[in-house]
Amino acid sequence: MSSPEPIKFIDGAAYERFMAPWSRSAGSLFLDWLAPRPGLTWADIGAGNGAFTELLLAKSAPSSVCAIDPSDAQIATARQKISAKQVELSIGDAMALPYDANRFDVAVMALVLFFVPDPRKGAAEMVRVTRPGGTVASYTWDILRGGTPSQPLWEEMDALGKPGARPPSADISRFEALKALWAELGLREVETRELVVERTFADFDDYWLSMVVSSPSGVLGKLSDAESAELKRRLQARLPASATGEITVHAWATAIKGRKAA
């Protein structure tokens, strides 16, 4: 079996169909857990097309948000959606943030840390740009325990001998790895939580468009017509539908937060 290629985020509109509803569900639980007071300065690292940034604006009343992502297509989509004056959208690398030290009250990575080639360097950058006493937090799909929304698709692609793209740093999704990293970086009052969410699709066609056609891993481009038909058959057989045809899929994430030493 060949190794899967890296995931590339080059279509903001497709990503909106694919992940934004998941991001909003998990992000809402994450922000409720953080319970931040209004008026804080935030770094939203790996902001993608702005789904979590929008949620942050709606739920947490930040004084400012610096949202950054390496994909120009994702940031272009975010700029079309977000016009709030307190949001600064920019293109950049999570492992070399273009921000001064001790600038933000809160630094977060929402569904991002396992995409960072060197998670330690990415987390260390979050710590660097956070002020003493501020919060450094992250959540990622629990990939190694099957928590990602893409798990059914990945398993069926594997069965076809066409492995789907995985995040390059999946191991950091484990609670043990997250806690060890936060401790290594000197963060205090470290807490973890599992975030469990679900998404209901109107029917199988809705699921297929959202989770297969719109997948950033470019699933269908790797398959012949016959293989695509077989993938559709396999997924339809494994995903139970309600009496009205709705399909509900569950996912879960590992979340962590800690405070930078004063």
Side-chain angles (χ1 to χ4, degrees), residues 3-146:
S3 298
E5 297 177 1
I7 298 173
K8 297 179 181 179
F9 300 99
I10 57 175
D11 187 332
Y15 189 80
E16 177 74 20
R17 292 190 298 271
F18 173 73
M19 188 53 62
W22 292 108
S23 180
R24 283 189 282 269
S25 295
S28 184
L29 293 178
F30 181 63
L31 286 172
D32 288 345
W33 180 57
L34 292 185
R37 68 179 188 275
L40 299 180
T41 56
W42 291 70
D44 179 8
I45 301 157
N49 70 356
F52 182 79
T53 313
E54 289 182 302
L55 192 66
L56 179 56
L57 288 170
K59 289 181 65 73
S60 301
S63 66
S64 66
V65 182
C66 286
I68 191 168
D69 194 89
S71 169
D72 54 356
Q74 291 278 64
I75 288 296
T77 300
R79 285 177 174 147
Q80 292 173 1
K81 299 193 301 177
I82 300 172
S83 59
K85 293 181 179 179
Q86 69 265 48
V87 177
E88 174 189 302
L89 293 159
S90 58
I91 299 167
D93 184 352
M95 297 184 294
L97 295 173
Y99 308 130
D100 293 337
N102 307 320
R103 175 172 173 179
F104 300 101
D105 296 310
V106 189
V108 295
M109 285 192 184
L111 302 176
V112 171
L113 190 57
F114 49 12
F115 287 117
V116 179
D118 185 339
R120 188 194 182 283
K121 187 176 291 187
E125 277 291 272
M126 280 202 290
V127 175
R128 181 185 67 80
V129 302
T130 301
R131 65 168 180 79
T135 298
V136 177
S138 169
Y139 70 95
T140 63
W141 297 123
D142 191 355
I143 288 180
L144 298 187
R145 293 197 302 138

